[in-house]
PDB file of all heavy atoms in Angstrom:
ATOM      1  N   SER A 327      -0.681 -45.189  23.709  1.00 95.00           N
ATOM      2  CA  SER A 327       0.180 -44.024  23.906  1.00 95.00           C
ATOM      3  C   SER A 327      -0.406 -42.893  23.084  1.00 95.00           C
ATOM      4  O   SER A 327      -0.579 -43.023  21.900  1.00 95.00           O
ATOM      5  CB  SER A 327       1.630 -44.307  23.483  1.00 95.00           C
ATOM      6  OG  SER A 327       2.438 -43.136  23.701  1.00 95.00           O
ATOM      7  N   PHE A 328      -0.723 -41.771  23.785  1.00 95.00           N
ATOM      8  CA  PHE A 328      -1.417 -40.644  23.132  1.00 95.00           C
ATOM      9  C   PHE A 328      -0.419 -39.443  23.061  1.00 95.00           C
ATOM     10  O   PHE A 328      -0.486 -38.507  23.864  1.00 95.00           O
ATOM     11  CB  PHE A 328      -2.638 -40.252  23.894  1.00 95.00           C
ATOM     12  CG  PHE A 328      -3.652 -41.381  24.029  1.00 95.00           C
ATOM     13  CD1 PHE A 328      -3.620 -42.237  25.173  1.00 95.00           C
ATOM     14  CD2 PHE A 328      -4.580 -41.631  23.084  1.00 95.00           C
ATOM     15  CE1 PHE A 328      -4.503 -43.271  25.325  1.00 95.00           C
ATOM     16  CE2 PHE A 328      -5.513 -42.637  23.184  1.00 95.00           C
ATOM     17  CZ  PHE A 328      -5.455 -43.476  24.302  1.00 95.00           C
ATOM     18  N   GLY A 329       0.538 -39.557  22.099  1.00 94.00           N
ATOM     19  CA  GLY A 329       1.500 -38.482  21.948  1.00 94.00           C
ATOM     20  C   GLY A 329       2.927 -38.936  22.238  1.00 94.00           C
ATOM     21  O   GLY A 329       3.218 -40.140  22.402  1.00 94.00           O
ATOM     22  N   MET A 330       3.831 -37.976  22.396  1.00 95.00           N
ATOM     23  CA  MET A 330       5.234 -38.318  22.633  1.00 95.00           C
ATOM     24  C   MET A 330       5.879 -37.222  23.486  1.00 95.00           C
ATOM     25  O   MET A 330       5.678 -36.033  23.312  1.00 95.00           O
ATOM     26  CB  MET A 330       5.970 -38.435  21.316  1.00 95.00           C
ATOM     27  CG  MET A 330       7.456 -38.770  21.450  1.00 95.00           C
ATOM     28  SD  MET A 330       8.312 -39.075  19.827  1.00 95.00           S
ATOM     29  CE  MET A 330       8.429 -37.406  19.283  1.00 95.00           C
ATOM     30  N   ILE A 331       6.674 -37.663  24.465  1.00 96.00           N
ATOM     31  CA  ILE A 331       7.542 -36.752  25.236  1.00 96.00           C
ATOM     32  C   ILE A 331       8.847 -36.645  24.445  1.00 96.00           C
ATOM     33  O   ILE A 331       9.525 -37.685  24.178  1.00 96.00           O
ATOM     34  CB  ILE A 331       7.773 -37.291  26.686  1.00 96.00           C
ATOM     35  CG1 ILE A 331       6.461 -37.462  27.384  1.00 96.00           C
ATOM     36  CG2 ILE A 331       8.629 -36.285  27.445  1.00 96.00           C
ATOM     37  CD1 ILE A 331       6.552 -38.063  28.780  1.00 96.00           C
ATOM     38  N   CYS A 332       9.288 -35.484  24.118  1.00 95.00           N
ATOM     39  CA  CYS A 332      10.322 -35.286  23.148  1.00 95.00           C
ATOM     40  C   CYS A 332      11.687 -35.009  23.759  1.00 95.00           C
ATOM     41  O   CYS A 332      11.840 -34.443  24.780  1.00 95.00           O
ATOM     42  CB  CYS A 332       9.983 -34.157  22.215  1.00 95.00           C
ATOM     43  SG  CYS A 332       8.388 -34.294  21.385  1.00 95.00           S
ATOM     44  N   SER A 333      12.726 -35.434  22.989  1.00 93.00           N
ATOM     45  CA  SER A 333      14.111 -35.068  23.304  1.00 93.00           C
ATOM     46  C   SER A 333      14.504 -33.845  22.614  1.00 93.00           C
ATOM     47  O   SER A 333      13.774 -33.374  21.670  1.00 93.00           O
ATOM     48  CB  SER A 333      15.023 -36.225  22.912  1.00 93.00           C
ATOM     49  OG  SER A 333      15.050 -36.345  21.426  1.00 93.00           O
ATOM     50  N   GLU A 334      15.668 -33.247  22.983  1.00 91.00           N
ATOM     51  CA  GLU A 334      16.065 -31.994  22.312  1.00 91.00           C
ATOM     52  C   GLU A 334      16.453 -32.280  20.852  1.00 91.00           C
ATOM     53  O   GLU A 334      16.338 -31.447  19.970  1.00 91.00           O
ATOM     54  CB  GLU A 334      17.241 -31.365  23.085  1.00 91.00           C
ATOM     55  CG  GLU A 334      18.520 -32.172  23.053  1.00 91.00           C
ATOM     56  CD  GLU A 334      19.665 -31.385  23.710  1.00 91.00           C
ATOM     57  OE1 GLU A 334      19.388 -30.559  24.632  1.00 91.00           O
ATOM     58  OE2 GLU A 334      20.825 -31.655  23.342  1.00 91.00           O
ATOM     59  N   TYR A 335      16.856 -33.517  20.604  1.00 92.00           N
ATOM     60  CA  TYR A 335      17.272 -33.848  19.177  1.00 92.00           C
ATOM     61  C   TYR A 335      15.980 -33.887  18.311  1.00 92.00           C
ATOM     62  O   TYR A 335      15.982 -33.315  17.205  1.00 92.00           O
ATOM     63  CB  TYR A 335      17.866 -35.235  19.135  1.00 92.00           C
ATOM     64  CG  TYR A 335      18.192 -35.735  17.776  1.00 92.00           C
ATOM     65  CD1 TYR A 335      19.286 -35.256  17.060  1.00 92.00           C
ATOM     66  CD2 TYR A 335      17.340 -36.655  17.102  1.00 92.00           C
ATOM     67  CE1 TYR A 335      19.596 -35.706  15.741  1.00 92.00           C
ATOM     68  CE2 TYR A 335      17.656 -37.114  15.833  1.00 92.00           C
ATOM     69  CZ  TYR A 335      18.728 -36.591  15.147  1.00 92.00           C
ATOM     70  OH  TYR A 335      19.027 -37.038  13.866  1.00 92.00           O
ATOM     71  N   GLU A 336      14.893 -34.495  18.785  1.00 91.00           N
ATOM     72  CA  GLU A 336      13.668 -34.564  18.044  1.00 91.00           C
ATOM     73  C   GLU A 336      13.041 -33.159  17.816  1.00 91.00           C
ATOM     74  O   GLU A 336      12.378 -32.918  16.843  1.00 91.00           O
ATOM     75  CB  GLU A 336      12.649 -35.502  18.775  1.00 91.00           C
ATOM     76  CG  GLU A 336      13.112 -36.952  18.765  1.00 91.00           C
ATOM     77  CD  GLU A 336      12.418 -37.749  19.867  1.00 91.00           C
ATOM     78  OE1 GLU A 336      11.981 -37.155  20.889  1.00 91.00           O
ATOM     79  OE2 GLU A 336      12.324 -38.984  19.676  1.00 91.00           O
ATOM     80  N   LEU A 337      13.334 -32.250  18.782  1.00 91.00           N
ATOM     81  CA  LEU A 337      12.795 -30.913  18.646  1.00 91.00           C
ATOM     82  C   LEU A 337      13.740 -30.047  17.837  1.00 91.00           C
ATOM     83  O   LEU A 337      13.516 -28.859  17.674  1.00 91.00           O
ATOM     84  CB  LEU A 337      12.597 -30.338  20.039  1.00 91.00           C
ATOM     85  CG  LEU A 337      11.497 -30.990  20.843  1.00 91.00           C
ATOM     86  CD1 LEU A 337      11.528 -30.494  22.302  1.00 91.00           C
ATOM     87  CD2 LEU A 337      10.094 -30.710  20.303  1.00 91.00           C
ATOM     88  N   ASP A 338      14.862 -30.622  17.391  1.00 87.00           N
ATOM     89  CA  ASP A 338      15.829 -29.850  16.569  1.00 87.00           C
ATOM     90  C   ASP A 338      16.477 -28.734  17.370  1.00 87.00           C
ATOM     91  O   ASP A 338      16.769 -27.695  16.882  1.00 87.00           O
ATOM     92  CB  ASP A 338      15.169 -29.245  15.296  1.00 87.00           C
ATOM     93  CG  ASP A 338      16.267 -28.951  14.181  1.00 87.00           C
ATOM     94  OD1 ASP A 338      17.322 -29.463  14.326  1.00 87.00           O
ATOM     95  OD2 ASP A 338      15.956 -28.198  13.264  1.00 87.00           O
ATOM     96  N   LEU A 339      16.711 -29.046  18.688  1.00 86.00           N
ATOM     97  CA  LEU A 339      17.295 -28.079  19.574  1.00 86.00           C
ATOM     98  C   LEU A 339      18.666 -28.464  20.115  1.00 86.00           C
ATOM     99  O   LEU A 339      19.254 -27.762  20.908  1.00 86.00           O
ATOM    100  CB  LEU A 339      16.334 -27.785  20.749  1.00 86.00           C
ATOM    101  CG  LEU A 339      15.021 -27.164  20.454  1.00 86.00           C
ATOM    102  CD1 LEU A 339      14.130 -27.078  21.712  1.00 86.00           C
ATOM    103  CD2 LEU A 339      15.217 -25.785  19.838  1.00 86.00           C
ATOM    104  N   GLY A 340      19.138 -29.672  19.730  1.00 83.00           N
ATOM    105  CA  GLY A 340      20.413 -30.177  20.209  1.00 83.00           C
ATOM    106  C   GLY A 340      20.660 -31.580  19.638  1.00 83.00           C
ATOM    107  O   GLY A 340      19.975 -32.063  18.818  1.00 83.00           O
ATOM    108  N   ALA A 341      21.740 -32.196  20.178  1.00 85.00           N
ATOM    109  CA  ALA A 341      22.153 -33.514  19.699  1.00 85.00           C
ATOM    110  C   ALA A 341      21.814 -34.680  20.606  1.00 85.00           C
ATOM    111  O   ALA A 341      22.058 -35.807  20.192  1.00 85.00           O
ATOM    112  CB  ALA A 341      23.685 -33.434  19.448  1.00 85.00           C
ATOM    113  N   ASP A 342      21.285 -34.418  21.773  1.00 87.00           N
ATOM    114  CA  ASP A 342      21.006 -35.479  22.705  1.00 87.00           C
ATOM    115  C   ASP A 342      19.738 -36.241  22.302  1.00 87.00           C
ATOM    116  O   ASP A 342      18.619 -35.740  22.254  1.00 87.00           O
ATOM    117  CB  ASP A 342      20.770 -34.875  24.119  1.00 87.00           C
ATOM    118  CG  ASP A 342      20.593 -35.899  25.219  1.00 87.00           C
ATOM    119  OD1 ASP A 342      20.750 -37.122  24.839  1.00 87.00           O
ATOM    120  OD2 ASP A 342      20.365 -35.569  26.386  1.00 87.00           O
ATOM    121  N   LYS A 343      19.974 -37.534  21.961  1.00 87.00           N
ATOM    122  CA  LYS A 343      18.859 -38.372  21.485  1.00 87.00           C
ATOM    123  C   LYS A 343      18.356 -39.277  22.622  1.00 87.00           C
ATOM    124  O   LYS A 343      17.225 -39.874  22.555  1.00 87.00           O
ATOM    125  CB  LYS A 343      19.274 -39.283  20.343  1.00 87.00           C
ATOM    126  CG  LYS A 343      19.808 -38.509  19.124  1.00 87.00           C
ATOM    127  CD  LYS A 343      20.229 -39.536  18.065  1.00 87.00           C
ATOM    128  CE  LYS A 343      20.773 -38.872  16.808  1.00 87.00           C
ATOM    129  NZ  LYS A 343      21.204 -39.820  15.738  1.00 87.00           N
ATOM    130  N   ASP A 344      19.169 -39.497  23.659  1.00 87.00           N
ATOM    131  CA  ASP A 344      18.879 -40.574  24.630  1.00 87.00           C
ATOM    132  C   ASP A 344      17.831 -40.134  25.670  1.00 87.00           C
ATOM    133  O   ASP A 344      17.019 -40.917  26.136  1.00 87.00           O
ATOM    134  CB  ASP A 344      20.211 -40.984  25.294  1.00 87.00           C
ATOM    135  CG  ASP A 344      21.246 -41.507  24.347  1.00 87.00           C
ATOM    136  OD1 ASP A 344      20.766 -42.141  23.386  1.00 87.00           O
ATOM    137  OD2 ASP A 344      22.428 -41.300  24.514  1.00 87.00           O
ATOM    138  N   GLY A 345      17.942 -38.874  26.134  1.00 92.00           N
ATOM    139  CA  GLY A 345      17.033 -38.426  27.174  1.00 92.00           C
ATOM    140  C   GLY A 345      16.045 -37.415  26.700  1.00 92.00           C
ATOM    141  O   GLY A 345      16.278 -36.734  25.687  1.00 92.00           O
ATOM    142  N   ILE A 346      14.928 -37.284  27.433  1.00 95.00           N
ATOM    143  CA  ILE A 346      13.960 -36.221  27.090  1.00 95.00           C
ATOM    144  C   ILE A 346      14.461 -34.858  27.536  1.00 95.00           C
ATOM    145  O   ILE A 346      15.337 -34.752  28.375  1.00 95.00           O
ATOM    146  CB  ILE A 346      12.613 -36.489  27.791  1.00 95.00           C
ATOM    147  CG1 ILE A 346      12.777 -36.496  29.312  1.00 95.00           C
ATOM    148  CG2 ILE A 346      11.980 -37.798  27.265  1.00 95.00           C
ATOM    149  CD1 ILE A 346      11.498 -36.497  30.067  1.00 95.00           C
ATOM    150  N   LEU A 347      13.904 -33.794  26.940  1.00 94.00           N
ATOM    151  CA  LEU A 347      14.292 -32.447  27.269  1.00 94.00           C
ATOM    152  C   LEU A 347      13.465 -32.031  28.459  1.00 94.00           C
ATOM    153  O   LEU A 347      12.212 -31.991  28.430  1.00 94.00           O
ATOM    154  CB  LEU A 347      13.991 -31.515  26.075  1.00 94.00           C
ATOM    155  CG  LEU A 347      14.228 -30.008  26.364  1.00 94.00           C
ATOM    156  CD1 LEU A 347      15.699 -29.748  26.597  1.00 94.00           C
ATOM    157  CD2 LEU A 347      13.740 -29.185  25.178  1.00 94.00           C
ATOM    158  N   VAL A 348      14.178 -31.710  29.554  1.00 94.00           N
ATOM    159  CA  VAL A 348      13.515 -31.288  30.770  1.00 94.00           C
ATOM    160  C   VAL A 348      13.496 -29.743  30.773  1.00 94.00           C
ATOM    161  O   VAL A 348      14.546 -29.085  30.676  1.00 94.00           O
ATOM    162  CB  VAL A 348      14.234 -31.782  32.037  1.00 94.00           C
ATOM    163  CG1 VAL A 348      13.523 -31.335  33.263  1.00 94.00           C
ATOM    164  CG2 VAL A 348      14.257 -33.363  31.987  1.00 94.00           C
ATOM    165  N   LEU A 349      12.330 -29.178  30.951  1.00 94.00           N
ATOM    166  CA  LEU A 349      12.142 -27.707  30.822  1.00 94.00           C
ATOM    167  C   LEU A 349      12.241 -27.042  32.196  1.00 94.00           C
ATOM    168  O   LEU A 349      12.239 -27.733  33.234  1.00 94.00           O
ATOM    169  CB  LEU A 349      10.812 -27.394  30.201  1.00 94.00           C
ATOM    170  CG  LEU A 349      10.460 -28.031  28.882  1.00 94.00           C
ATOM    171  CD1 LEU A 349       9.114 -27.592  28.362  1.00 94.00           C
ATOM    172  CD2 LEU A 349      11.576 -27.740  27.825  1.00 94.00           C
ATOM    173  N   ASP A 350      12.399 -25.743  32.153  1.00 90.00           N
ATOM    174  CA  ASP A 350      12.417 -24.941  33.392  1.00 90.00           C
ATOM    175  C   ASP A 350      11.130 -25.123  34.175  1.00 90.00           C
ATOM    176  O   ASP A 350      10.035 -25.230  33.594  1.00 90.00           O
ATOM    177  CB  ASP A 350      12.610 -23.454  32.973  1.00 90.00           C
ATOM    178  CG  ASP A 350      12.917 -22.583  34.228  1.00 90.00           C
ATOM    179  OD1 ASP A 350      12.113 -22.553  35.117  1.00 90.00           O
ATOM    180  OD2 ASP A 350      13.985 -21.929  34.174  1.00 90.00           O
ATOM    181  N   THR A 351      11.216 -25.163  35.444  1.00 88.00           N
ATOM    182  CA  THR A 351      10.062 -25.420  36.291  1.00 88.00           C
ATOM    183  C   THR A 351       9.046 -24.275  36.243  1.00 88.00           C
ATOM    184  O   THR A 351       7.922 -24.423  36.584  1.00 88.00           O
ATOM    185  CB  THR A 351      10.460 -25.585  37.781  1.00 88.00           C
ATOM    186  OG1 THR A 351      11.240 -24.456  38.155  1.00 88.00           O
ATOM    187  CG2 THR A 351      11.322 -26.804  37.926  1.00 88.00           C
ATOM    188  N   LYS A 352       9.493 -23.082  35.681  1.00 88.00           N
ATOM    189  CA  LYS A 352       8.597 -21.927  35.561  1.00 88.00           C
ATOM    190  C   LYS A 352       7.700 -22.016  34.328  1.00 88.00           C
ATOM    191  O   LYS A 352       6.796 -21.220  34.150  1.00 88.00           O
ATOM    192  CB  LYS A 352       9.402 -20.648  35.525  1.00 88.00           C
ATOM    193  CG  LYS A 352      10.190 -20.341  36.804  1.00 88.00           C
ATOM    194  CD  LYS A 352      10.942 -19.002  36.672  1.00 88.00           C
ATOM    195  CE  LYS A 352      11.768 -18.769  37.969  1.00 88.00           C
ATOM    196  NZ  LYS A 352      12.481 -17.478  37.805  1.00 88.00           N
ATOM    197  N   ALA A 353       7.989 -23.069  33.503  1.00 92.00           N
ATOM    198  CA  ALA A 353       7.157 -23.177  32.238  1.00 92.00           C
ATOM    199  C   ALA A 353       5.712 -23.471  32.595  1.00 92.00           C
ATOM    200  O   ALA A 353       5.442 -24.180  33.600  1.00 92.00           O
ATOM    201  CB  ALA A 353       7.716 -24.338  31.427  1.00 92.00           C
ATOM    202  N   LYS A 354       4.815 -22.881  31.870  1.00 94.00           N
ATOM    203  CA  LYS A 354       3.363 -23.001  32.154  1.00 94.00           C
ATOM    204  C   LYS A 354       2.789 -24.253  31.527  1.00 94.00           C
ATOM    205  O   LYS A 354       3.010 -24.466  30.288  1.00 94.00           O
ATOM    206  CB  LYS A 354       2.591 -21.761  31.700  1.00 94.00           C
ATOM    207  CG  LYS A 354       3.001 -20.486  32.446  1.00 94.00           C
ATOM    208  CD  LYS A 354       2.236 -19.309  31.906  1.00 94.00           C
ATOM    209  CE  LYS A 354       2.606 -18.024  32.641  1.00 94.00           C
ATOM    210  NZ  LYS A 354       1.886 -16.849  32.139  1.00 94.00           N
TER     211      LYS A 354
END
Side-chain angles (χ1 to χ4, degrees):
S327 180
F328 302 93
M330 181 175 74
I331 303 175
C332 305
S333 67
E334 66 175 29
Y335 176 80
E336 292 160 336
L337 294 169
D338 201 18
L339 294 174
D342 187 3
K343 303 180 182 180
D344 300 326
I346 60 170
L347 176 65
V348 180
L349 306 180
D350 191 301
T351 55
K352 296 181 181 179
K354 297 180 180 179

